[in-house]
Amino acid sequence: MSEHRPLRSYGRTKARTLKPRQAGLVETLLPHLALDLSKEIDVRLPAPLRGGAGGGGSGGDLSGEPAARTPISDSAPQGGGESLDASPLVLEIGFGGGEHLVAQAAAQPHAHFIGVEPFLNGVASCLRHIEESGVTNVRLHHGDARDVLARLPDASLDRVDILFPDPWPKKRHWKRRLIQPEFVSELARAVKPGGEVHFATDWANYAAWTLEVFARAPYFAWTAERAADWRTPWPGHVTTRYEQKRLGDCAPVWLRFARLA
């Protein structure tokens, strides 16, 4: 990683005091699910040291129908019949309260999921969802997603979900936005050819900003063919609490970018 830390792309990291149950999960469960960033991340992500079987999700294909790669769908082998090395790997950056992340993991028990969130209260909420659902295919990092990305092997990710990141709406703060040319280049290194980046925002300027940054990079292609492609969520999307609040200045914009070979 660079010797100079990049500008922080997120706001606060903690709000109200955690409830006793949440604090307990942070103390006892998080250490078993936390990534070890002292070395390259092992994408096989073995099961954590705790009980529980794959939870009962809603099912359905959550891959957004990507091409030229192993789809993340319920039709793929599940359980011990599939090699861990062949399991799809999904990174969700800024998972908020964890509703989307855990629902995806429960519906796709054959895939591996990594969730990153700097907000401690969100991490605690996600841990509660993990415990209640019983999913065992999720790993977490409480901190900066760029640190996780730097520790992932080349071409290891099948999909990256970036849902409603901090928009930094004031022009003087745009340099703090997560989507920057350097970040997109690092995504290109870690995402497999044919893999996808899913980005959603309810700020019009951030949507335009993201399209411009990706358009200038030679690594990705915007997959939209008609207006409905960016006006409606991709298949399998799970609505989050933040999304329901409608805090932005426009209806949600849904962008999909495919990694070029």
Side-chain angles (χ1 to χ4, degrees), residues 211-226:
L211 283 172
E212 182 177 355
V213 172
F214 272 86
R216 290 181 176 179
Y219 323 106
F220 291 96
W222 185 27
T223 64
E225 297 180 350
R226 58 189 65 86

Side-chain angles (χ1 to χ4, degrees), residues 55-238:
S58 58
D61 186 350
L62 304 189
S63 63
E65 301 173 2
R69 66 186 176 93
T70 302
I72 306 173
S73 69
D74 285 337
S75 61
Q78 299 180 12
E82 181 186 21
S83 167
L84 286 173
D85 291 326
S87 299
L89 180 63
V90 179
L91 171 65
E92 181 168 335
I93 296 177
F95 57 72
E99 307 99 327
H100 180 272
L101 175 65
V102 176
Q104 297 274 315
Q108 305 296 333
H110 65 285
H112 292 310
F113 292 82
I114 295 175
V116 184
E117 174 58 53
F119 189 47
L120 180 60
N121 299 72
V123 173
S125 174
C126 185
L127 290 170
R128 177 175 59 82
H129 289 304
I130 290 173
E131 183 183 58
E132 292 175 352
S133 68
V135 298
T136 61
N137 55 335
V138 178
R139 296 296 170 275
L140 301 179
H141 176 66
H142 172 219
D144 196 317
R146 293 168 293 191
D147 295 335
V148 173
L149 204 57
R151 290 290 183 261
L152 282 167
D154 294 353
S156 58
L157 293 171
D158 290 82
R159 195 179 78 224
V160 179
D161 294 336
I162 307 173
L163 307 181
F164 304 98
D166 195 320
W168 296 103
K170 296 180 180 179
K171 187 173 182 178
R172 67 176 182 272
H173 293 152
W174 288 354
K175 59 188 176 183
R176 291 186 175 275
R177 286 175 169 173
L178 178 65
I179 304 301
Q180 304 288 345
E182 299 80 7
F183 179 73
V184 172
S185 295
E186 187 66 0
L187 284 177
R189 180 195 64 79
V191 175
K192 297 177 181 178
E196 292 192 353
V197 175
H198 291 184
F199 177 89
T201 183
D202 53 4
W203 287 87
N205 178 268
Y206 203 2
W209 168 286
T210 299
L211 283 172
E212 182 177 355
V213 172
F214 272 86
R216 290 181 176 179
Y219 323 106
F220 291 96
W222 185 27
T223 64
E225 297 180 350
R226 58 189 65 86
D229 292 337
W230 67 80
R231 290 175 178 169
T232 55
W234 37 80
H237 173 69
V238 177

